[in-house]
Amino acid sequence: MTSLKGISLNINGLNNPCKRASLIRYINLHKANLVFLQETHLLKKDIDKLVTDKYTVLVSSEHTQKKRGVAILWNKSMPIPKTIKSYEDDKGMFCMVTIQINGKTYTLINVYWIPGIGINTVKYHLNKIISSSIGDIILAGDFNCILHEKDTTTIGKRKITSNAKHLKDFVNSYHLNDINNQIDSKSLPYTFFSNRYKTYSKIDSLYF
């Protein structure tokens, strides 16, 4: 049986070679064999800069400018999986790949929903997952929304949006587990700090 250890990070730009080297050291330190990256800010012609002696890129999506961008990396110390199918949008916000490894099938999805993303785009991405995914689903990303009021330090200043409700319905319908629920809540950090409102929120997660 294959055991997968995943990390999801909003990296806020990887055009600096020193930052890319720091990223590889970090994920290697944590022995991650599956890495979901948001906001790579890489152009399509530069995505191979993420390929190293330790990691390869399974799938990615890039914007036409140096912004947004998502990618899923795989640790080469693991057997390289067979790719069944893959999909990426042209906005640098969404990519997914279905793989087989040691007889097990997984659909891996990486999402970066920009602030203020329209509900139609959210529905499109979720419908794409529903229509294309097979096997076990692993969904990770920066969703820029909270699913529960407890996910922010100030109640009322950050509402449960319609985007969040659709994501929550999807997670519940597929019986996906939030990785944060497997961690001691007292030690669980929030993932975003708003300077404007001086609040902390959990808008990033990994579901499996």
Side-chain angles (χ1 to χ4, degrees), residues 39-202:
E39 287 205 84
T40 61
H41 296 182
L42 294 172
L43 300 176
K44 185 172 287 292
K45 67 180 182 65
D46 296 324
I47 198 64
D48 283 347
K49 291 178 179 179
L50 296 180
V51 177
T52 68
D53 60 331
K54 296 183 182 296
Y55 290 91
T56 189
V57 178
L58 291 181
V59 66
S60 66
S61 170
E62 295 78 36
H63 196 271
T64 54
Q65 302 177 40
K66 290 184 178 181
K67 61 181 183 179
R68 305 179 189 172
V70 289
I72 301 177
L73 308 188
W74 184 266
N75 194 318
K76 292 180 179 178
S77 66
M78 299 277 289
I80 300 300
K82 176 184 178 181
T83 298
I84 306 301
K85 56 184 174 181
S86 63
Y87 170 81
E88 59 277 342
D89 73 348
D90 59 358
K91 307 292 185 184
M93 295 193 295
F94 181 84
C95 65
M96 64 185 294
V97 60
T98 300
I99 61 171
Q100 281 186 344
I101 180 169
N102 295 338
K104 187 79 171 177
T105 302
Y106 299 91
T107 295
L108 313 175
I109 307 110
N110 194 9
V111 172
Y112 173 58
W113 286 344
I114 60 174
I117 186 173
I119 187 61
N120 288 336
T121 302
V122 171
K123 287 181 177 179
Y124 178 82
H125 286 172
L126 294 179
N127 287 334
K128 193 72 180 179
I129 298 172
I130 293 169
S131 63
S132 303
S133 60
I134 57 175
D136 291 347
I137 295 175
I138 303 178
L139 167 66
D142 179 349
F143 301 97
N144 270 302
C145 62
I146 59 170
L147 297 195
H148 311 279
E149 288 187 346
K150 65 181 178 62
D151 293 339
T152 183
T153 55
T154 303
I155 305 301
K157 283 192 175 181
R158 194 161 185 131
K159 298 180 180 179
I160 308 297
T161 64
S162 56
N163 293 349
K165 291 176 182 176
H166 278 83
L167 175 60
K168 188 176 180 179
D169 288 345
F170 172 82
V171 167
N172 290 337
S173 66
Y174 277 82
H175 307 290
L176 299 180
N177 299 300
D178 185 343
I179 190 66
N180 294 302
N181 293 336
Q182 313 299 313
I183 304 172
D184 178 8
S185 60
K186 293 181 180 179
S187 63
L188 178 65
Y190 293 101
T191 63
F192 176 74
F193 174 72
S194 170
N195 265 320
R196 180 179 179 184
Y197 296 113
K198 307 302 180 187
T199 58
Y200 293 89
S201 302
K202 182 174 74 68

